[in-house]
Amino acid sequence: MEYQYPIETDWSTDEVIDVIQYFQKVEEAYSRGVDRDLFLEAYRRFKEIVPGKAQERKICDEFEEVSGFSSYRTVNAVKAAESGAKIKMK
């Protein structure tokens, strides 16, 4: 992908890597589909780094603006699916 991921300057290197891995899971959901349970694992880690709803919305909106992929819609689809399902976004 030819865009930059939204990151905060006060995050550690490990946190930046984990946030990027989360956004890569969102991308994967749109490209070839993603395992629900692996996505939720990445999302839980993302929420440890970005616990506030306002900050989450800001970061995810920035990501959607540059990528066209909706983290919000993906999370909703994943939460609605059963364990072990593969989620493919359109």
Side-chain angles (χ1 to χ4, degrees):
M1 299 290 157
E2 294 296 322
Y3 49 83
Q4 290 189 340
Y5 295 98
I7 56 171
E8 299 289 330
T9 56
D10 60 338
W11 290 343
S12 71
T13 301
D14 287 340
E15 289 173 331
V16 169
I17 290 168
D18 290 340
V19 167
I20 290 171
Q21 287 175 340
Y22 167 68
F23 285 126
Q24 288 173 336
K25 290 290 182 196
V26 174
E27 294 168 354
E28 190 178 326
Y30 279 87
S31 61
R32 62 180 184 264
V34 67
D35 177 87
R36 175 198 182 267
D37 301 325
L38 292 177
F39 183 92
L40 281 177
E41 186 178 308
Y43 179 65
R44 284 186 195 104
R45 177 62 182 138
F46 173 76
K47 288 303 293 174
E48 289 174 6
I49 300 163
V50 185
K53 280 287 188 188
Q55 186 184 17
E56 176 185 4
R57 184 175 187 148
K58 175 187 167 285
I59 291 169
C60 290
D61 285 351
E62 288 175 15
F63 174 71
E64 185 172 359
E65 187 176 309
V66 297
S67 70
F69 302 130
S70 172
S71 173
Y72 176 79
R73 287 187 51 232
T74 306
V75 168
N76 285 341
V78 165
K79 286 182 177 179
E82 293 186 22
S83 181
K86 186 166 187 165
I87 307 303
K88 176 77 166 95
M89 300 299 293
K90 295 179 184 180

